[in-house]
Amino acid sequence: MAQDTQTESRKLLQRLRDALAEDSAGQERLDKITHLIATSMGTEVCSIYLFRDDDTLELCATEGLNPESVHQTRLRIGEGLVGRVAKASKVVNTDDAPSARGFRYMPETGEEIFSSFCGVPVQRLGDNLGVLVVQSKEKRTFSLDEVYALEVVAMVLAEMTELGAFVGEGAAMSARHQQSVMFRGACAQEGAAEGHIWLHEPRVVVTNPVADDPEVELKRLSEAVDALRVGVDKMLDGAGNGDKEQLQVLEAYRMFANSKGWMRRMEQDIAQGLSAEAAVEKEQSAARTRMEQVTDAYLRERLHDLDDLSNRLLRILTGQGAETGADMPADPVLVARNIGPGELLEYGRNLRGIVLEEGSVGSHAAIVARALAIPLVIHADRVTTEALNGDHVMIDGDQGIVHLRPDDTVVTAFRDKIAMEAKAQERYASIRDKPATTLDGETVHLTMNAGLMADLPSLANSGAEGVGLFRTELQFLVRNQMPRRTELAQLYSRVMDAADGKRVVFRTLDIGSDKVLPYMAPQDEPNPALGWRAVRVALDKPGVMRMQLQALLRAANGRPLTVMFPFIAQFDEYRAARAEMDKALARETILGHPLPASLEVGAMLETPSLGFAPKKFYEEVDFLSIGGNDLKQFFFAADRENERVRRRYDTLNVSFLTFLEGIVNRCIDTDTPLSFCGEDAGRPIEAVCLAAIGLRNLSMRPASIGPVKSLLRRVDLAELKAVIDEARISGEQSVRPAVMAYLRSQG
């Protein structure tokens, strides 16, 4: 019986292929297909519903229902049995549809006379495109073989929908990948950009979903899987003594590549009439659907591994590797599910923007994007499914919005915004060499954040007075093994050369939390942001710290050197880190190497505890730099990676400003140099308020220096401080409304 079902399924698919090959309009093709399916399945009804938007299904073709209901009957996702199939991406199979949960009576279709119902989702790689339905008057439950055959047909319908075989009038039958789409993600690096899509991993296009000869397809699949297994084995051999996490991923690859269940399901799909490629993609779609519904992080990762393995297998079968022959556009906007820092650095500054489906505010990719000053939007769900190479795209990094194939109205408004920003940049250029001196004569020193040699040209172009933060971890993150001391010394020396005498503050290695070295054993911590990170790692594993400190001392080669330790939470940690510096100095003296002309050793204040450290700490430390990003999340107990909470808390909140002002006063009392480093330092409104409470050194991304300096030169800090104090006394939660009103009144 199973063999008969397979034969009938292959016959149906071949008829479908013939119907699709005919030169006919999209509606005519859909009508023929519903007739073919109803006839082959022995049902009175076959209907195809397609999505007209994210929430609405439309009846696009039917055999057996009232033809006048086509393109008139619409269902919200979750509404009726059809909407239930779409919402859950699961089959609904019942012999008593009117009594089934969710049934909705639609008199315009005449469906109330049909008892049996079987609906299967039409989906491709987890992307729901519609629902395929068969119904009959006879009270029956469709067999597993019949349901399976419908799923195979739905797979072909999904592929052909993707390829534009059913284009017609109306939103539900409009051509895919041609409509304007807006993605609302999250901002990981600010800025606006316009360009054309460049996919990091080009999509594999399956053009032959139906096979002529199952035996040939089975042989192709077997050979491709053998090649895949050999490739995975080579990756494992090449990994050798790699880190535990990498080996675990590759072992998972090997397990899936040798999975008999995975292979058996694909062989069964081929027996039903699919090509080898379509069979792989059908299983990949099922894995992605399961991935959407699984909450367990470990299982999601394993399904992600299977998804990646399926992509590798598809590339072997189709020959569609990463090199597709397409030319990168002159203004590329990179689109990917995720990307590592090394891969991103290979693209370099020629990228106009970056859009990721995954990622985080503190990810390696975000760090590199900030260093390269490239707008980055993360959490742009399904962008890799919708975007095609060469598509026109506009990115609003400030709002975390991506406009794919934007219409003329969006293009005009967006270009107006870019033009306004360009005019503002011209205005900022005119004050580049002028000091950030306020109307009441207070001068605020503005420095830039950096992490790559590529950042250093911005030192002169932006008007920065120095580098207030040089992140040293990027050189560790982009490698597969620990860099050597001589390499680091050469790099740090080049940084100092490029700074041309301006002060550079080197932050020692800040790893852990969201910055895990590829060659460092991962730590399974429930809350890594509060875990084993930064100076905690350095003090527990002092070998790396000693090596880095020696590299910095040798790079200075008799020049002034400034170093600060990250994530100091208590006085003893600073003293222990400072002791390591003293040991490094003693060793360099013994070796006869030149010592720095002067040495400043400071700490980053990123935890509230350090704000209440003993006075002796403030007297001993050479300088302090407030790490605003981490300090703010710990002060408000609001994870900066969590979009639900991170935007709820305002930097200009009275409590936070009062806490910062307390630190300022302690530093004034002990004559300790103090700066503020973080995203808020580069936001003009926040920057002038920080200056008003006494901060006279701010470090930010280079592009922010112009806007911040421009506003500082137009305000009276004494007046602004009075506005802030009055808002505090009045009991306001945030001083922002009062500050904004004051600034507007000043023009």
Side-chain angles (χ1 to χ4, degrees), residues 179-200:
Q179 303 164 25
S180 296
V181 186
M182 186 186 81
F183 299 92
R184 192 175 293 278
C187 167
Q189 168 59 19
E190 297 162 340
E194 178 180 5
H196 291 84
I197 296 292
W198 180 253
L199 294 169
H200 180 56

Side-chain angles (χ1 to χ4, degrees), residues 91 135 162 203 318 351 365 412 476 696 719 738:
V91 174
Q135 296 171 271
E162 179 77 7
R203 296 168 53 154
T318 63
L351 293 177
T412 301
F476 290 79
R696 292 295 180 267
E719 286 185 7

Side-chain angles (χ1 to χ4, degrees), residues 661-676:
E661 192 170 20
I663 296 168
V664 170
N665 291 333
R666 295 199 73 184
C667 287
I668 292 172
D669 182 48
T670 54
D671 199 26
T672 307
L674 177 66
S675 64
F676 186 100

Side-chain angles (χ1 to χ4, degrees), residues 603-674:
M604 289 204 80
L605 196 158
E606 301 169 271
T607 62
S609 63
L610 206 60
F612 301 98
K615 183 178 181 181
K616 186 69 173 171
F617 165 75
Y618 283 83
E619 291 172 341
E620 282 194 18
V621 73
D622 291 336
F623 67 93
L624 279 174
S625 179
I626 295 172
N629 297 342
D630 263 334
L631 181 62
K632 186 175 166 185
Q633 76 165 337
F634 298 140
F635 186 86
F636 288 112
D639 185 355
R640 58 192 282 237
E641 302 291 345
N642 188 333
E643 288 297 311
R644 288 184 176 179
V645 299
R646 78 183 186 99
R647 293 183 183 275
R648 293 173 68 145
Y649 299 97
D650 189 357
T651 304
L652 302 188
N653 178 287
V654 166
S655 301
F656 191 54
L657 279 185
T658 302
F659 176 68
L660 293 178
E661 192 170 20
I663 296 168
V664 170
N665 291 333
R666 295 199 73 184
C667 287
I668 292 172
D669 182 48
T670 54
D671 199 26
T672 307
L674 177 66

Side-chain angles (χ1 to χ4, degrees), residues 124 127 129 156-166 176-177 203 205 385 388:
R124 182 179 187 272
D127 187 16
L129 306 178
V156 176
L157 289 177
E159 288 297 332
M160 302 318 294
T161 301
E162 179 77 7
L163 293 170
F166 308 125
R176 289 176 63 77
H177 309 299
R203 296 168 53 154
V205 180
T385 303
L388 296 179

